[in-house]
Amino acid sequence: MKRLTALLLSLLLLLSLAACGADPAPSGGDQSPDPAPEDSVPDTDAEEPEAPDSNALPENPTVMEPREAEPYEILDPKVMPEGGERDGVKYVPYDGIVEHLFFHPIIAYPELAFDGDAQANGLDDFMVTVDEFNKILDSVYEKGYILVDIGDVWSETADEAGNPVMVKNTLYLPEGKKPLVFSYDDTNYYPYMLENGLTYKLILDENGRVTSWGLDPQGNEVISRSLDAIPRLDEFVEEHPDFSPFGAKACLSLTGYCGILGYRTQTDGTVEWTDELEANRQAEREAVKPIIEELKRTGWTFGSHTWGHIRLGSGNMAKIQADTQKWFDEVGSLVGETTILFYPHGERPDGNDWKQTGEAFRYLQAQGFRVFCSVGIESFSYIKKDICAVICDRLHPDGKTLRWSRNRYLQFYDAKDIMDIGVRPDLGIGEDWNS
């Protein structure tokens, strides 16, 4: 029976690969980090994703009837607790740097990810394993970081002339703690992930908690909270509530061309759209809504990664506008409004958005985006003077930085303690591993 299930899954996976013909490898994901702000953005040879051409799914899990969820409290870090204390902990104002780490989906089964195929090196570059992710969580927790919501770091207000501007907020944190934003890119469960050792989708378990569903290397169904970065962070906060004293988790950076969160909610412009395809899409939209609701209730937020993971620096305004509207129609209509935009490939619109504000940036800002996130070598941020917006860079724990940027991440963790050399390809390590 297991063999039959595995064979069926293989067939259905092929259909799913056709469904999201977008960039089958991580090379279509975020590229090497942007250089420091004073430098220009490097060119990369990664291809943009293509639109999907069907709505096939690998296989759906059995739907469980969840129980009533446990209460969850979300607090505002911009407000000092009455008396300056909460639960016996002293709170103090913080106006320093808010660090920002981002992850791609994490690898549950390294033996499938690092099997020597064409995907292996890309997965090594851009992702961490479950074990590595757990070690990173342990390390940032031990070093005194606490999670804050990216939406609480900056706010829109008006200057003396009544013009809208962004301001950086004072955060009131437990004494001795440092703020940390988490974001997760591409939490869409693309087909290449399904065949390379990642989980397949999010579901609700019998306790109403967000969990992951997928198959192990033998084709057995696995429902787990510990194999996926989303439910695993939930677990970690349950185990260490002081890691998230305000209830914040991470901001999920979503494309739309393969649906969201493992549900194929997308339309397809490359095939004749039928009533059957639309009915399937609507069923997927309904199925993902309880997942979204539970994520939002328990401290998760959402941002745009564009619908098609497009290059915002291309200058193709017609494409940028059409893609943005499609994201609003197919993703924003599900997750709600967001002011956060995460640049695909780390590529800034208009070439260098911190020095200039071009047509693409102005259009995106006019659509409601206020915080624009790229990728860099530090948690850089800059409040623009000519338009109501903030640009910022994020650091990226992954195979590349574990191998080659150990010293840059020592404030968070030591790559020597994190990287699982035994399961990764033998691609070398940086000289700073010897320091």
Side-chain angles (χ1 to χ4, degrees), residues 95-329:
D95 291 301
I97 293 173
V98 178
E99 299 289 355
H100 189 162
L101 299 178
F102 93 91
F103 300 85
H104 286 100
I106 60 177
I107 296 167
Y109 302 106
E111 62 269 39
L112 295 181
F114 307 129
D115 57 0
D117 66 7
Q119 314 279 0
N121 285 357
L123 291 161
D124 178 80
D125 278 346
F126 298 113
M127 297 182 182
V128 297
T129 67
V130 167
D131 287 345
E132 290 167 343
F133 182 71
N134 285 331
K135 292 174 185 175
I136 290 171
L137 289 179
D138 286 336
S139 182
V140 295
Y141 174 71
E142 291 169 2
K143 290 181 179 291
Y145 287 99
I146 58 170
L147 294 178
V148 296
D149 184 346
I150 189 173
D152 288 328
V153 180
W154 299 276
S155 293
E156 180 174 348
T157 186
D159 64 15
E160 294 180 356
N163 300 311
V165 293
M166 296 298 288
V167 295
K168 187 172 183 291
N169 297 314
T170 296
L171 302 178
Y172 298 94
L173 308 180
E175 190 172 30
K177 298 297 184 179
K178 299 169 288 187
L180 176 63
V181 168
F182 269 8
S183 56
Y184 294 173
D185 279 13
D186 300 306
T187 50
N188 300 80
Y189 302 79
Y190 303 137
Y192 83 81
M193 297 176 180
L194 277 50
E195 63 175 0
N196 281 284
L198 284 79
T199 59
Y200 282 43
K201 67 194 306 180
L202 298 178
I203 63 172
L204 297 180
D205 68 12
E206 67 277 9
N207 295 309
R209 303 171 304 188
V210 174
T211 189
S212 70
W213 178 88
L215 300 178
D216 68 13
Q218 291 72 45
N220 301 306
E221 182 182 66
V222 178
I223 296 173
S224 173
R225 299 181 74 211
S226 61
L227 296 176
D228 184 291
I230 294 174
R232 178 62 195 124
L233 184 57
D234 282 338
E235 275 192 325
F236 192 86
V237 170
E238 290 166 12
E239 297 159 359
H240 308 281
D242 55 332
F243 184 52
S244 183
F246 309 105
K249 300 289 177 54
C251 188
L252 302 181
S253 169
L254 296 172
T255 62
Y257 66 88
C258 277
I260 64 172
L261 307 178
Y263 296 81
R264 301 314 184 213
T265 56
Q266 78 277 6
T267 55
D268 185 346
T270 66
V271 299
E272 182 180 355
W273 202 245
T274 65
D275 291 344
E276 182 181 2
L277 289 173
E278 182 60 21
N280 182 71
R281 186 177 86 90
Q282 292 300 331
E284 290 289 286
R285 284 176 61 88
E286 291 303 312
V288 77
K289 287 178 181 179
I291 314 298
I292 295 168
E293 182 180 353
E294 180 62 11
L295 287 168
K296 293 171 78 169
R297 189 185 73 84
T298 54
W300 297 85
T301 59
F302 296 92
S304 172
H305 203 34
T306 76
W307 184 88
H309 208 278
I310 66 171
R311 292 186 175 279
L312 294 172
S314 67
N316 186 336
M317 285 304 301
K319 184 173 184 177
I320 291 171
Q321 290 170 357
D323 179 276
T324 302
Q325 188 57 53
K326 201 162 189 178
W327 192 91
F328 287 142
D329 291 344

Side-chain angles (χ1 to χ4, degrees), residues 334-401:
L334 288 168
V335 302
E337 294 182 0
T338 180
T339 60
I340 316 298
L341 178 64
F342 298 93
Y343 296 159
H345 313 281
E347 184 174 288
R348 303 176 186 277
D350 310 310
N352 194 337
D353 60 4
W354 82 289
K355 288 186 176 179
Q356 62 187 27
T357 304
E359 184 180 11
F361 193 98
R362 290 188 181 279
Y363 167 76
L364 293 165
Q365 193 272 353
Q367 304 313 301
F369 297 114
R370 294 293 182 269
V371 180
F372 297 78
C373 301
S374 187
V375 184
I377 60 174
E378 60 183 358
S379 299
F380 160 81
S381 66
Y382 176 75
I383 297 176
K384 290 176 74 71
K385 304 295 190 293
D386 59 339
I387 194 170
C388 182
V390 176
I391 61 172
C392 55
D393 281 358
R394 310 172 286 162
L395 290 160
H396 54 118
D398 54 27
K400 274 189 174 181
T401 56

